[in-house]
Amino acid sequence: MLRPKKKFTKKEIKRDPLLETLYQINQYYKANKRQLLAILGTVIAVVVIVWVGVKWKITSEHDASRMLGKALISIQIKEFEEASQQLEPILSEYPNTSDGSKALFFLGLISLEQEDFTRARQYFNDYLNNADNPDLECGALSKIAYTYEKDGDYSMAAEYYEQASEICEGTYQRRSNLLNSILSYVKVGEFNKANVKIHELSGEENLPRDMQDAIDEIRGRIQLLTD
């Protein structure tokens, strides 16, 4: 025959530390059951929300990347209208993804190709507000400078070329932007700023011959203009 389960008295429980702890836990649970269940429900809800959020982010990044890839192919074959139609949904549907941010940069390039410099500047500036790629950030600043140069605003062009030279990681890109800033400063008569940048650029080691020749020519031009 099965023996009935023995019921421990409070006195016996107090003599056994483990049983005493279990008894206290059981009593606390009974007294706070509703609060504990509410806390547990909140924890489960938070875990579910985080899980759904992570899964959605992964899916969004994948979809945005796929759409961006198609748009880049269209840009390469100069189907700019098609590329724009492929890029714009990325902005509306996946604005907080990395590729959603890059879509702004490539829409800026398309506007530049179409010689819509005002719209190009807007796209590039919007990209800079969300930039996460140093190379594209350098490119955006350089392209903004170019749009101002095409509009004849050499003062703004010089400033943006200079900004680009300060963040570009590639040596050639940095030097090219620095040289363009010098040329723009000369065009607006900012000879002191131009000379500061000339000194900075000419002091670099292993400067290519063609860039050194350009610096010498600019120096000669400044000399003629200031005599």
Side-chain angles (χ1 to χ4, degrees), residues 108 110-125 143-144 146-152:
I110 291 171
S111 297
L112 198 62
E113 285 286 342
Q114 297 170 336
E115 298 188 349
D116 188 343
F117 301 132
T118 300
R119 179 175 291 185
R121 279 195 293 271
Q122 183 63 57
Y123 279 128
F124 287 132
N125 276 310
K143 298 302 183 185
I144 291 173
Y146 176 77
T147 65
Y148 279 119
E149 188 177 353
K150 296 295 288 185
D151 282 342

Side-chain angles (χ1 to χ4, degrees), residues 14-223:
K14 288 180 180 178
R15 287 199 300 266
D16 189 319
L18 176 58
L19 290 177
E20 184 178 0
T21 299
L22 293 174
Y23 175 77
Q24 290 173 349
I25 291 172
N26 185 53
Q27 293 299 104
Y28 180 82
Y29 174 74
K30 288 180 179 178
N32 301 276
K33 183 177 180 180
R34 294 182 64 182
Q35 294 92 325
L36 291 172
L37 288 176
I39 293 171
L40 179 60
T42 301
V43 170
I44 292 172
V46 170
V47 170
V48 170
I49 290 170
V50 170
W51 180 80
V52 171
V54 170
K55 187 175 181 180
W56 180 86
K57 180 176 176 58
I58 292 172
T59 302
S60 297
E61 290 284 358
H62 175 75
D63 291 343
S65 180
R66 176 177 51 79
M67 294 169 70
L68 181 64
K70 290 182 178 180
L72 293 182
I73 293 173
S74 297
I75 291 174
Q76 288 176 347
I77 60 177
K78 300 188 181 300
E79 293 287 346
F80 298 123
E81 290 298 331
E82 179 71 17
S84 293
Q85 292 174 10
Q86 292 166 331
L87 289 168
E88 286 169 359
I90 302 176
L91 296 181
S92 58
E93 296 176 28
Y94 310 104
N96 298 320
T97 64
S98 176
D99 288 320
S101 176
K102 290 183 179 71
L104 290 165
F105 178 85
F106 291 109
L107 282 167
L109 285 185
I110 291 171
S111 297
L112 198 62
E113 285 286 342
Q114 297 170 336
E115 298 188 349
D116 188 343
F117 301 132
T118 300
R119 179 175 291 185
R121 279 195 293 271
Q122 183 63 57
Y123 279 128
F124 287 132
N125 276 310
D126 287 345
Y127 170 74
L128 290 171
N129 291 332
N130 303 278
D132 62 355
N133 183 304
D135 289 332
L136 294 186
E137 188 175 358
C138 168
L141 289 168
S142 180
K143 298 302 183 185
I144 291 173
Y146 176 77
T147 65
Y148 279 119
E149 188 177 353
K150 296 295 288 185
D151 282 342
D153 190 343
Y154 297 109
S155 181
M156 290 296 292
E159 290 182 19
Y160 274 95
Y161 277 130
E162 187 174 345
Q163 287 182 48
S165 72
E166 290 170 355
I167 69 165
C168 287
E169 296 183 342
T171 301
Y172 177 79
Q173 289 83 357
R174 179 174 54 78
R175 287 172 172 175
S176 295
N177 280 292
L178 192 53
L179 182 60
N180 284 329
S181 74
I182 293 169
L183 289 168
S184 296
Y185 279 131
V186 171
K187 288 178 180 178
V188 292
E190 294 279 0
F191 302 128
N192 288 335
K193 289 183 178 180
N195 281 324
V196 168
K197 295 302 172 184
I198 287 172
H199 179 73
E200 180 182 336
L201 183 57
S202 61
E204 294 195 4
E205 295 181 358
N206 302 318
L207 199 65
R209 183 71 258 174
D210 60 339
M211 196 163 286
Q212 186 61 59
D213 290 341
I215 291 172
D216 293 339
E217 182 180 342
I218 295 169
R219 278 182 173 142
R221 191 186 310 177
I222 292 175
Q223 186 66 39

